[in-house]
Amino acid sequence: FPGAIQCDVTRGLPYEDNSVEGIVTSHFLEHLHPFRQLPFVLEEFRRVLQPGGVVRLAVPDLLTLKNAYAVGDFDAHASTQRGLPVPFNDLPLALQFSAIVFGNNSGNALYDGHQAAWDFDAMTWALERAGFARCMSVMPGDSRHPTLMQRYQDKHVEQSLIMEAVK
């Protein structure tokens, strides 16, 4: 994206306190350890956000995936699964579920996959512990931030929990 700065967020963000009006993270937070890395990253988000600033996040939605498992249908999720040693649809249902929930399908030996599975209650708990308020689930393409969706388009919505919270 124009103006984007790459950095290792687990070491801090290169922004001043209260200097950012919105933060978007999509299918990233599940890759952080929920107790060792995620709290620091969420606290960094809160530190750099302006008062009233919005953090928008998307993570794989455990409830959606659990329901797909219960009815035996991951067809809507198959397109997101690349890098497996066998075609996704040839896997037994439990391994399809595992490939999505644990994100262990990259084929890269250095890739650890997902560190946690998230639902609304768990993510609200993590956000509130970091000092965020008014946590809510939002529909793809909708936002409480007036211009956020002009610069960003939600991805992997078929398996995503999309939330926003306010500093």
Side-chain angles (χ1 to χ4, degrees):
F1 294 102
I5 296 173
Q6 290 185 334
C7 67
D8 180 350
V9 298
T10 64
R11 295 180 181 205
L13 293 170
Y15 299 102
E16 298 294 322
D17 294 358
N18 305 307
S19 64
V20 175
E21 67 178 79
I23 294 174
V24 175
T25 179
S26 179
H27 291 268
F28 166 68
L29 297 179
E30 67 273 13
H31 296 274
L32 300 177
H33 190 282
F35 309 119
R36 289 194 298 268
Q37 294 173 305
L38 183 66
F40 173 77
V41 169
L42 292 178
E43 288 165 10
E44 274 293 283
F45 288 175
R46 190 172 183 288
R47 177 187 68 78
V48 302
L49 276 172
Q50 299 169 353
V54 173
V55 61
R56 180 187 185 86
L57 60 92
V59 293
D61 182 6
L62 183 59
L63 181 60
T64 296
L65 298 173
K66 177 199 73 89
N67 290 341
Y69 179 80
V71 299
D73 183 7
F74 282 110
D75 288 345
H77 311 282
S79 66
T80 66
Q81 302 306 305
R82 293 178 212 91
L84 292 166
V86 296
F88 180 77
N89 290 328
D90 290 350
L91 292 172
L93 192 62
L95 292 180
Q96 289 180 0
F97 179 80
S98 294
I100 296 171
V101 172
F102 301 115
N104 54 7
N105 60 345
S106 76
N108 182 337
L110 300 176
Y111 176 74
D112 289 335
H114 297 169
Q115 302 296 306
W118 294 100
D119 65 8
F120 178 82
D121 291 338
M123 188 54 71
T124 297
W125 177 84
L127 287 163
E128 288 176 347
R129 286 179 58 91
F132 286 96
R134 300 196 320 255
C135 302
M136 63 182 274
S137 179
V138 294
M139 297 299 295
D142 288 340
S143 177
R144 69 175 91 190
H145 188 278
T147 61
L148 193 64
M149 298 315 294
Q150 293 172 7
R151 300 183 60 196
Y152 174 75
Q153 182 178 0
D154 293 311
K155 308 279 192 273
H156 308 301
V157 296
E158 67 282 350
Q159 67 186 43
S160 294
L161 167 65
I162 304 171
M163 292 182 65
E164 291 184 349
V166 177
K167 173 178 178 179

